[in-house]
Amino acid sequence: LGIASLVGVTSVEVAAQQRVTPGDPDASYLVLKLEGDPSIVPDRMPKFGPYLDAAQIAAVRQWISDGALQ
C-alpha cells in the first residue's frame, strides 16, 4: 500500500479508526495491528508473522508522531 492509502483513510476492519492518524500513533489502526491488541483488532499483522520487533514498531510510531509524512 502506498502512503495515500494509509494516512487519513478509514480502516476496513474497524470503521471508527483511521489506518494512520498523523501525529497520533495510539489512534492509528496500523499500530494496533502491528502490536496485536486483541481487544480491538481481530489479527496481528502480518497475520502469520514474523512480527516486527519493538524497535521497528517504535520507528513506525515515531513516523506517525512526526506527522506521517511522505
Side-chain angles (χ1 to χ4, degrees), residues 2-34:
I3 193 168
S5 63
L6 292 174
V7 178
V9 176
T10 302
S11 163
V12 173
E13 290 181 343
V14 179
Q17 289 192 295
Q18 291 185 5
R19 292 177 178 169
V20 172
T21 303
D24 193 352
D26 291 329
S28 297
Y29 190 66
L30 175 63
V31 172
L32 298 173
K33 289 290 282 186
L34 293 174

Side-chain angles (χ1 to χ4, degrees), residues 13 33-34 42-51:
E13 290 181 343
K33 289 290 282 186
L34 293 174
D43 297 304
R44 191 170 178 188
M45 187 174 83
K47 189 168 185 166
F48 300 108
Y51 304 122

